[in-house]
Amino acid sequence: MTTATEQQHVAGPLSAAVAHLCHRLQPQVSARTAAGFREVLRRLSAPLQVAVAGRIKSGKSTLVNALIGRRVAPTDVGECTRLVTRFQYGTVDRVEVVFTDGRKQVLPFDAGGVIPNDLDVDFDQVSHLEAYLTNAVLRDLTVIDTPGLGSLDAASVRRTEQLLGAARHRKDGDEAEPDADELDPTSRNAVAGAEAVLYVVTQGVRADDQQALAAFTAATASREAGPVNAIAVLNKADTIVPESVAGSDGDVWKAATLLAEKQAQTLKPRVADVIPVIGLLAESAESGGFTSADADALRQLSQLDDATWETMMFSADIFTSWECDVPSGTRVRLLEKLDLYGIRTAVDALRADPNLTAGALRRKLLDASGLASVRSRLDAVFRARADGIKAAAALASVTALAHASGDPGERQRVHDAIEVLLAKPEAHQLRLLEALTLVTSGAVAMPDDLAEEVLRVGSHADIGEQLGMKGRPQRELAAFALERAGWWRSFASFGATPAQSRVAHVVHRAYFLIWQQLRAD
């Protein structure tokens, strides 16, 4: 049973309502289903879980370090990069190796504060890693670093799928029958997994990126990635050749922004947005990698004459080998931390203001990385809607657990309880999230303009953005909401297919509740 302390930590009223539903149903279901409900309750009281996923060598671990603000995830190829690692808040910094049989082994971080890249254990027996950090960012967000998709051994893929909930139901006989109070494989998959996805892409969105997003179980019970629970970042934005992007005017960041907008259209509706970022620069500036010695070396480089400077910046090889007062080894370290784009950004800033302190220069580099935009979008899409995301994921798990039980009576009791919960006005957001998922996944076909409207109403927390009328007077918003409520009610009754009608009724009620809220304010 969930304690009062755990209940206090649920994300909000929707999560609390689902937790209450689980408590009420536990005495009415089988021991195995009840065990699943206990896991759902535990997940509801835990921070929102965001998986960082993407292709191999896309810079996922570097971005994880930047988001956490500490270089803890190994970025070099090693055993650990083939494992799922969960970074979560803890009062003592430690790493736990979790084995497939449930055993755990505690390991210290290495001398540099990073998870050891090579484990002194039987790697084939390892399920995943749990990293606990006394880090404020992780108080309300668990970050899950995943192996790169593509070019992976089958064991790594299987471990990732199992932990993130993407594994499909196994055939009978694949595993021994579990005890009645343990989770069977189907149930375990139903309650496992991240609740949101930060998907990392580079310059070219490939077919397998789209396939991965389509198949990736971002939430529990095989709930697909969509605009409510998935964001993409265009990493390594500094490597984009501006001339390859029309309209960039030779500017790297403008080129990255334009390319991100194009990728957003390609990945739509699987993600809410695509945001450009320079992960390496963000990691170095945010996690303590950039030092005062680095600032001093850059200050020396800023004093070079223009001809020498431009020659050195022609390529990485020339930058590290050209004769100048800054030792070659120092320049190699700068390149490893900032790459050429970051080095040029820093030198330009120092030439504009020679009195910049090391701290001010670090902040300039952080601003240039684009990390602030990623964090802002994370707050807007994930943190602000954590309650709805977690509650929807939990309800999906509850439904999957009931279906997995094989008991028609149990299934009906759970279904009826969920319907009672969803009938309440305050729980309508869950209906809307469900309708949005049905439309964006293609399960319910809608004309493009109506699909866009469902996407808009279901993807935003701000009423003005939901109505597509941000900044307009409240009276206009109320009138428009009432007009659209009437339109969707008519569409549900005349002209819609049965599947479309169910979605239309949900959208109608969403507009009507918005109208009521605007009238009451």
Side-chain angles (χ1 to χ4, degrees):
M1 182 172 177
T2 303
T3 66
T5 301
E6 286 175 324
Q7 288 180 356
Q8 289 172 1
H9 285 87
V10 295
L14 293 175
S15 296
V18 178
H20 180 66
L21 177 143
C22 288
H23 280 303
R24 281 196 304 105
L25 286 174
Q26 275 184 316
Q28 305 174 39
V29 296
S30 68
R32 188 172 300 152
T33 304
F37 285 0
R38 286 195 294 275
E39 179 62 15
V40 171
L41 286 165
R42 186 193 66 79
R43 289 285 302 276
L44 278 169
S45 64
L48 184 70
Q49 301 192 67
V50 178
V52 180
R55 291 188 54 78
I56 194 167
K57 295 184 179 179
S58 60
K60 299 181 309 305
S61 297
T62 298
L63 188 60
V64 166
N65 289 334
L67 290 170
I68 294 174
R70 181 171 159 185
R71 193 173 186 276
V72 286
T75 54
D76 298 327
V77 175
E79 284 184 344
C80 285
T81 58
R82 294 164 55 201
L83 290 170
V84 172
T85 304
R86 294 162 49 87
F87 294 93
Q88 53 198 306
Y89 183 81
T91 54
V92 177
D93 287 5
R94 68 188 188 279
V95 181
E96 289 185 356
V97 182
V98 182
F99 293 90
T100 52
D101 62 4
R103 289 180 299 116
K104 294 182 180 180
Q105 179 178 332
V106 178
L107 292 178
F109 288 94
D110 68 16
V114 180
I115 294 175
N117 209 3
D118 295 308
L119 306 175
D120 189 20
V121 295
D122 184 351
F123 181 75
D124 291 333
Q125 299 301 314
V126 177
S127 166
H128 65 282
L129 302 179
E130 302 272 2
Y132 295 89
L133 300 167
T134 51
N135 185 292
V137 172
L138 298 175
R139 282 188 178 274
D140 62 351
L141 199 71
T142 292
V143 179
I144 305 173
D145 190 12
T146 67
L149 300 169
S151 304
L152 278 176
D153 59 277
S156 295
V157 173
R158 186 169 61 252
R159 279 191 294 266
T160 304
E161 288 180 336
Q162 287 172 350
L163 193 68
L164 295 180
R168 294 297 180 251
H169 301 171
R170 295 179 177 85
K171 295 179 180 178
D172 292 339
D174 283 359
E175 288 194 12
E177 184 69 16
D179 295 335
D181 61 347
E182 292 180 357
L183 294 185
D184 60 285
T186 298
S187 301
R188 191 160 53 243
N189 289 338
V191 297
E195 292 149 337
V197 179
L198 183 64
Y199 195 81
V200 184
V201 296
T202 48
Q203 292 183 42
V205 173
R206 296 164 50 159
D208 52 358
D209 285 314
Q210 298 188 58
Q211 291 163 5
L213 270 169
F216 190 91
T217 305
T220 54
S222 303
R223 197 162 161 267
E224 292 183 338
V228 171
N229 62 351
I231 300 171
V233 293
L234 169 59
N235 198 14
K236 304 183 181 181
D238 55 317
T239 64
I240 296 168
V241 179
E243 290 73 23
S244 67
V245 181
S248 68
D249 302 324
D251 181 82
V252 170
W253 199 255
K254 187 174 181 181
T257 302
L258 290 170
L259 185 56
E261 291 173 356
K262 183 178 179 181
Q263 290 182 338
Q265 292 300 313
T266 302
L267 294 174
K268 192 178 181 181
R270 296 290 177 192
V271 300
D273 204 355
V274 179
I275 309 151
V277 69
I278 305 172
L280 177 63
L281 198 57
E283 181 194 50
S284 297
E286 184 70 347
S287 64
F290 183 75
T291 66
S292 57
D294 297 327
D296 291 341
L298 289 163
R299 200 177 306 278
Q300 276 186 275
L301 290 171
S302 71
Q303 295 165 6
L304 293 172
D305 64 86
D306 288 348
T308 300
W309 174 243
E310 290 303 330
T311 300
M312 289 177 64
M313 293 302 289
F314 189 75
S315 72
D317 287 341
I318 295 176
F319 176 76
T320 54
S321 61
W322 198 262
E323 288 292 329
C324 80
D325 292 339
V326 179
S328 176
T330 301
R331 283 177 274 158
V332 168
R333 286 195 297 275
L334 286 175
L335 201 61
E336 289 173 346
K337 294 180 179 182
L338 308 177
D339 219 334
L340 287 177
Y341 180 86
I343 292 169
R344 181 181 285 279
T345 299
V347 167
D348 286 349
L350 287 165
R351 285 182 165 184
D353 183 1
N355 296 318
L356 273 181
T357 64
L361 186 57
R362 183 193 69 82
R363 289 190 291 274
K364 291 272 188 184
L365 291 170
L366 188 59
D367 289 344
S369 73
L371 183 64
S373 294
V374 175
R375 282 184 166 154
S376 174
R377 207 71 179 99
L378 280 171
D379 287 343
V381 176
F382 293 162
R383 278 194 171 96
R385 286 186 288 177
D387 185 29
I389 292 172
K390 289 183 70 67
L395 271 187
S397 291
V398 169
T399 301
L401 289 164
H403 278 277
S405 74
D407 181 345
E410 180 173 295
R411 188 180 307 162
Q412 190 62 48
R413 282 193 296 276
V414 172
H415 176 269
D416 291 346
I418 290 175
E419 287 301 309
V420 169
L421 169 64
L422 293 178
K424 298 176 180 178
E426 60 270 23
H428 187 73
Q429 183 186 350
L430 297 176
R431 286 274 197 208
L432 189 56
L433 292 178
E434 179 187 31
L436 174 64
T437 301
L438 289 171
V439 172
T440 56
S441 67
V444 175
M446 281 278 189
D448 289 345
D449 58 335
L450 298 186
E452 285 283 345
E453 189 169 353
V454 175
L455 184 64
R456 189 187 70 232
V457 174
S459 296
H460 297 287
D462 179 80
I463 286 180
E465 291 180 337
Q466 282 183 295
L467 300 179
M469 300 175 68
K470 190 170 177 62
R472 304 293 284 274
Q474 189 164 319
R475 182 178 298 177
E476 285 187 35
L477 296 179
F480 181 75
L482 188 59
E483 175 194 332
R484 294 310 296 164
W487 189 93
W488 279 92
R489 182 175 57 190
S490 297
F491 176 66
S493 303
F494 308 102
T497 66
Q500 290 174 340
S501 181
R502 286 192 294 272
V503 170
H505 278 299
V506 172
V507 179
H508 151 69
R509 185 160 173 77
Y511 274 123
F512 185 74
L513 291 172
I514 290 172
W515 174 75
Q516 283 188 322
Q517 183 179 338
L518 289 168
R519 284 278 304 269
D521 289 345

